[in-house]
Amino acid sequence: MSNKPILVTRSSMPPYDEFINEIMPIWDSHWLTNGGEFHQTLEKKLTEFLQVNNISLFTNGHMALELAFQALNLSGEIITTPFTFVSTTHAIVRSGMTPVFCDINCMDYTIDVSKIERLITEETVAIAPVHVYGNVCDVEEIEKIATKYNLKVIYDAAHAFGVQYKGKGIGNFGDLSMFSFHATKVFNTIEGGAITYSNSEIGKKLNRLKNFGIKDEETVDIIGANAKMNEFQAVMGICNLRHFDEEIAKRKVVVEKYREILSVIKGIKTLGQFKDVKSNYAYFPVIIEPEIFGESRDDIYNRLKLHNIFARKYFYPITNTLDCYKEKYSANNTPIALDISKKVLTLPLYADLPLDDVERICKIILN
Ligand SMILES: *Cc1c(COP(=O)(O)O)cnc(C)c1O
């Protein structure tokens, strides 16, 4: 028990000197926020890195998602999944829309595209799928459905920074994609987020919405919020981006070690490499089948905790069972999501997690 605690993740940080050198000019400019020099630099670098047409930075991913819904002027029903972080569902409801929960598929836990059409009503205006764990939704089928029914598509790509599908940056699919740059995500700006988009009119609106709806000094024509990314966040992003590829390469080694040990165990399901996907190795979820493995997810979660290892039950409980939503929804409508949420455990994963620790974590799981 002398071991230092191992948490599910550890925030990436650039070398101290690199960050300090980079922020030094702020002491000359005294320009701390409101679309400063570093903000502009980060937008440019991210547009290139993510291979997208446009990006707009935000103070966090959640506000980015709320303002994305507002920028599209949406009201009515929106089809989404409950197997996600609560932010997705909250953003929909706080934007005045009604979430309609679609089940997930049991291959990669993204939205089950075969179940979307039956949920479409007169009120449906959009689909908000989640690239959960960085797994790519069936973007082609979603686009077909959206075109057929004239629906907008807003991806929650909070987990998918750096992911590519068929050689294309993941932020190019749908009308808009939201990325989170929270400290716990693969790429961070401490807190932060972004929307990628191709329609420049939407972009103008997004940029006003994050700054109180201000058009110019004397004109405020939409009811905006304050969700601007500040210069310190932008500098953190600029520095972290320099090391991103290196971090992902290290994460890959950790994931491969986990897979090597756990993928052969009966009753434990791990995810493999998906076709046409360049992965970001953001999370390592495993599914524990209690009847086959002999122990439940919670048994393993608790045993790891006794050893000072803190895995997380991402995503349990699913959002349609949370206190603030359970009156209005039944989890029985999303049986796969409900089942997976009770069996899933997300294991510690970060670039500098020693392989010895990975082996030790696996040993404790296998008891
Ligand atoms: C982290 C996260 C968000 C919210 O992002 P923040 O930057 O923390 O506001 C939204 N959706 C999902 C799926 C997330 O994991």
Side-chain angles (χ1 to χ4, degrees):
M1 287 302 289
S2 61
N3 293 317
K4 271 209 312 198
I6 298 177
L7 307 185
V8 70
T9 191
R10 202 175 78 141
S11 298
S12 301
M13 291 175 79
Y16 177 74
D17 290 340
E18 183 181 334
F19 184 76
I20 294 304
N21 281 330
E22 196 85 33
I23 54 168
M24 216 131 43
I26 298 180
W27 268 259
D28 293 325
S29 69
H30 283 248
W31 191 290
L32 302 182
T33 185
N34 286 17
E37 181 190 333
F38 292 107
H39 183 283
Q40 289 171 35
T41 302
L42 183 60
E43 278 195 345
K44 191 161 163 290
K45 286 187 186 291
L46 288 177
T47 305
E48 285 163 20
F49 187 81
L50 296 172
Q51 303 171 278
V52 292
N53 293 321
N54 305 287
I55 197 164
S56 181
L57 301 178
F58 290 82
T59 193
N60 60 55
H62 179 84
M63 282 308 295
L65 193 55
E66 282 195 17
L67 297 178
F69 293 137
Q70 285 181 37
L72 293 172
N73 237 336
L74 297 176
S75 65
E77 293 176 2
I78 180 162
I79 296 170
T80 186
T81 62
F83 191 73
T84 181
F85 183 53
V86 67
S87 168
T88 321
T89 307
H90 279 354
I92 291 169
V93 175
R94 288 170 53 84
S95 306
M97 287 186 290
T98 305
V100 173
F101 292 105
C102 183
D103 209 353
I104 57 172
N105 71 67
C106 52
M107 301 303 294
D108 61 15
Y109 321 126
T110 63
I111 195 164
D112 183 342
V113 290
S114 72
K115 293 178 181 160
I116 295 177
E117 282 195 77
R118 71 183 74 153
L119 297 172
I120 295 174
T121 72
E122 289 288 295
E123 301 294 314
T124 310
V125 291
I127 310 173
V130 183
H131 296 304
V132 68
Y133 307 125
N135 296 341
V136 177
C137 297
D138 187 343
V139 291
E140 284 133 352
E141 191 57 31
I142 290 167
E143 188 175 330
K144 266 190 217 152
I145 297 169
T147 306
K148 183 170 166 194
Y149 294 92
N150 194 23
L151 305 175
K152 299 285 186 206
V153 179
I154 302 93
Y155 281 105
D156 182 332
H159 300 169
F161 186 89
V163 170
Q164 291 178 11
Y165 178 64
K166 294 190 174 166
K168 252 172 100 171
I170 197 70
N172 290 294
F173 299 94
D175 293 275
L176 302 167
S177 294
M178 178 278 285
F179 293 88
S180 166
F181 306 153
H182 183 257
T184 56
K185 304 299 206 273
V186 273
F187 168 75
N188 84 78
T189 60
I190 309 172
E191 293 260 8
I195 300 288
T196 58
Y197 59 94
S198 38
N199 179 332
S200 56
E201 284 308 307
I202 296 289
K204 277 185 205 149
K205 206 161 166 200
L206 272 176
N207 289 331
R208 295 230 293 284
L209 278 166
K210 71 179 166 196
N211 190 30
F212 307 100
I214 295 172
K215 189 174 181 185
D216 61 46
E217 263 180 84
E218 299 186 4
T219 320
V220 179
D221 58 351
I222 45 176
I223 305 169
N226 179 9
K228 302 184 296 289
M229 177 180 280
N230 71 50
E231 291 289 88
F232 284 75
Q233 290 173 289
V235 169
M236 192 68 163
I238 291 166
C239 294
N240 275 334
L241 192 60
R242 285 188 195 118
H243 304 279
F244 183 76
D245 287 337
E246 195 186 313
E247 292 263 311
I248 295 306
K250 285 161 125 187
R251 282 172 169 271
K252 180 169 190 261
V253 174
V254 174
V255 164
E256 282 171 351
K257 189 80 201 167
Y258 270 130
R259 279 184 189 152
E260 178 193 317
I261 304 173
L262 295 178
S263 64
V264 295
I265 306 298
K266 287 205 169 57
I268 296 186
K269 185 186 162 196
T270 60
L271 292 182
Q273 196 54 50
F274 292 103
K275 195 172 162 277
D276 297 324
V277 174
K278 181 179 171 215
S279 174
N280 65 359
Y281 305 96
Y283 298 90
F284 194 74
V286 296
I287 308 295
I288 318 285
E289 295 291 350
E291 284 85 31
I292 306 169
F293 187 70
E295 283 185 299
S296 71
R297 181 269 310 270
D298 288 349
D299 293 335
I300 294 173
Y301 170 86
N302 290 328
R303 184 160 64 243
L304 286 168
K305 212 166 166 179
L306 288 177
H307 288 83
N308 239 355
I309 295 161
F310 299 90
R312 293 296 296 267
K313 302 174 192 178
Y314 291 150
F315 286 94
Y316 172 86
I318 48 175
T319 67
N320 52 1
T321 66
L322 295 171
D323 285 353
C324 52
Y325 295 118
K326 67 182 181 199
E327 313 275 280
K328 286 199 177 127
Y329 297 96
S330 167
N332 296 329
N333 295 333
T334 55
I336 309 272
L338 184 63
D339 182 56
I340 297 291
S341 77
K342 291 174 179 166
K343 297 175 178 168
V344 71
L345 192 62
T346 298
L347 301 180
L349 169 58
Y350 42 88
D352 291 321
L353 181 63
L355 294 184
D356 287 352
D357 281 333
V358 175
E359 285 178 8
R360 192 161 64 85
I361 291 165
C362 293
K363 240 181 223 152
I364 294 166
I365 293 171
L366 303 177
N367 206 7

